[in-house]
Amino acid sequence: MRCVCDQCAAADSAGTGKCLKDFWIFDHFCESQLQDLQTIGIRREIPAGQLIFNQGGKADELFLIRSGSIKLSKVSEDGTEVTLDFRRYGDVLGEDIFSGVEAYPVSAMAIDDTVTCGFNLSDFQSLVRKKPDIGLSVIKSMSNKISALSNRIGSIAEVNLEDRLYSVLSSISKEHGCRIGDEYTFPFKLTHEELAFLVGAHRVSITKAMQALISKGRICCTNKIITLKNC
């Protein structure tokens, strides 16, 4: 299914490039560049539970999440599945294709019914050869993203597990969550096992750290939905 950004924009009367402007990877794009991208866009509707791409599969498409949420995971050599990250509206998936990798290093599965727009790698490369300024704009956006990821790595360096967990939760919630006043709420549920993989700790230790954060009023957790206080 071809991209319908122009139809969405017309209905929303917010300009032709509104759809793409929502994504960090196009922060440095001008209106004409966004219009060029729309000519090669592909729209997909992905039901909850469906695999979008598999670890080791051919890396040939970039996905821009329009709605829903996606879990990224990786299977280790001993067969253990490790949850690495979560992506939702406004996030980019499959950006590894810009680094020249031939296979996706992780698997991606839709947690909710998800809609994406995206680009085939060969189509994008053809467009960049015609208009090199598009490639330069992507490089600028990727550099900014690397800086943000470096800050998250700094959170993991916290020695105390309780503080480390809070720092990681804070970083992810500010990037993906919903803000109300001085509170951030996650848009999806996280199990203690998934949190353990994200923080780099045992599940039992995460349970104790979560209880400590709740007792101190730093977070609250209702039906596995986490809200951070004074974040």
Side-chain angles (χ1 to χ4, degrees), residues 26-45:
F26 303 127
D27 282 345
H28 297 278
F29 278 54
C30 63
E31 189 70 23
S32 62
Q33 290 174 324
L34 294 172
Q35 291 174 352
D36 289 333
L37 285 173
Q38 288 174 2
T39 64
I40 62 171
I42 301 172
R43 183 175 184 270
R44 300 190 187 281
E45 297 180 3

Side-chain angles (χ1 to χ4, degrees), residues 178-194:
C178 303
R179 180 176 183 176
I180 301 177
D182 61 352
E183 299 181 353
Y184 280 89
T185 300
F186 273 65
F188 42 73
K189 297 179 180 179
L190 288 174
T191 66
H192 285 195
E193 185 175 15
E194 289 170 332

Side-chain angles (χ1 to χ4, degrees), residues 1-4 7-8 42-52 61 63-68 70 110 112-118:
M1 184 184 298
R2 301 305 294 178
C3 183
V4 293
Q7 298 175 23
C8 295
I42 301 172
R43 183 175 184 270
R44 300 190 187 281
E45 297 180 3
I46 307 164
Q50 180 171 308
L51 197 66
I52 300 169
E61 189 170 345
F63 301 85
L64 314 172
I65 305 174
R66 295 297 301 143
S67 65
I70 294 171
D112 311 306
D113 290 340
T114 299
V115 175
T116 67
C117 293

